Amino acid sequence: GAGVSQSPRYKVAKRGQDVALRCDPISGHVSLFWYQQALGQGPEFLTYFQNEAQLDKSGLPSDRFFAERPEGSVSTLKIQRTQQEDSAVYLCASSFGLTGEQYFGPGTRLTVT
Amino acid sequence: QKEVEQNSGPLSVPEGAIASLNCTYSDRGSQSFFWYRQYSGKSPELIMFIYSNGDKEDGRFTAQLNKASQYVSLLIRDSQPSDSATYLCAVNTLKDTGRRALTFGSGTRLQVQP
């Protein structure tokens, strides 16, 4: 596609619910990254994939967070048993390589009530 | 010490002036440096990247990198009100995992006054 797409754009979840956020990267980009952005802060790294391999998940804040990219294209970030502190914008980015320019999708704004 | 530091601003400049945005980083091994622009409620948009010491110009934007001083800057010439946004500096830094990942500063808010 022309750019990175994410869905849903907005998600409201009750505390304790599970959510799944989807990212469709730019066609041909082998690297895919997930970030969390709190209000007034820069994006914080969560995890990244090269093709289907998850090379680093050190930024995931707890074991409630899980990401996958089974076919090396679309990725899903899943948050189990959501908590209020999970409320943030979740950004996905893709790039040709691990250290090159990253292009962001529009983000998913998650609000946990 | 934060890995990537920026002055939060706001930096206020008159229309037509040069806006100078600065960023320092702590990882001496970093090789890739990026500037993103983020409008309120939108996602970051890549505007410049630089990999070598010196200046890199693209239209009204110039990125400057000084690895010895661990300093990267962004100059915006002929600033326009539409340039008003938060500018994020991002550096490819070495994590505890031994892998590199993009680390962002908190951003500098730029206001261009008409």
Side-chain angles (χ1 to χ4, degrees):
Chain A
V4 180
S5 60
Q6 292 186 246
S7 62
R9 293 291 311 279
Y10 304 91
K11 177 69 179 178
V12 178
K14 290 190 188 313
R15 190 173 57 181
Q17 282 185 332
D18 298 350
V19 298
L21 313 180
R22 175 190 167 104
C23 172
D24 198 344
I26 293 171
S27 179
H29 279 190
V30 299
S31 298
L32 184 147
F33 307 81
W34 283 99
Y35 295 88
Q36 181 189 61
Q37 187 173 26
L39 196 62
Q41 300 297 315
E44 293 277 346
F45 167 80
L46 294 177
T47 185
Y48 73 75
F49 294 83
Q50 184 171 349
N51 295 306
E52 68 279 3
Q54 188 174 20
L55 298 188
D56 190 338
K57 55 181 181 180
S58 63
L60 296 176
S62 80
D63 58 8
R64 297 185 294 104
F65 287 70
F66 171 76
E68 60 182 4
R69 194 186 184 197
E71 297 178 359
S73 179
V74 171
S75 177
T76 304
L77 176 67
K78 297 179 179 177
I79 309 173
Q80 297 176 324
R81 304 181 303 283
T82 52
Q83 303 295 313
Q84 280 195 314
E85 62 262 28
D86 300 335
S87 296
V89 175
Y90 290 86
L91 296 163
C92 175
S94 70
S95 72
F96 278 117
L98 290 178
T99 59
E101 308 90 74
Q102 295 183 23
Y103 297 90
F104 282 84
T108 296
R109 182 177 296 276
L110 173 65
T111 302
V112 181
T113 61
Chain B
Q1 181 191 4
K2 285 187 180 179
E3 292 179 279
V4 179
E5 298 212 46
Q6 296 181 257
N7 188 318
S8 61
L11 172 66
S12 185
V13 300
E15 185 174 353
I18 296 175
S20 177
L21 304 159
N22 305 313
C23 172
T24 58
Y25 60 95
S26 59
D27 180 3
R28 284 198 167 274
S30 296
Q31 298 291 326
S32 311
F33 307 87
F34 307 88
W35 283 99
Y36 287 83
R37 177 175 62 197
Q38 188 170 28
Y39 293 112
S40 182
K42 302 294 186 182
S43 64
E45 174 193 6
L46 180 66
I47 53 172
M48 288 290 289
F49 57 90
I50 186 166
Y51 300 140
S52 305
N53 270 333
D55 294 0
K56 179 182 178 183
E57 186 174 320
D58 184 0
R60 295 187 297 113
F61 299 100
T62 299
Q64 299 175 316
L65 174 61
N66 184 327
K67 289 185 180 179
S69 301
Q70 295 172 248
Y71 179 92
V72 58
S73 64
L74 179 70
L75 301 178
I76 306 174
R77 288 181 298 281
D78 187 24
S79 295
Q80 301 297 309
S82 59
D83 294 326
S84 298
T86 295
Y87 289 80
L88 298 164
C89 171
V91 178
N92 215 288
T93 57
L94 189 64
K95 299 299 185 184
D96 292 342
T97 55
R99 296 193 178 273
R100 291 197 166 272
L102 213 54
T103 300
F104 284 80
S106 296
T108 298
R109 190 156 64 93
L110 174 66
Q111 294 177 339
V112 181
Q113 307 294 338

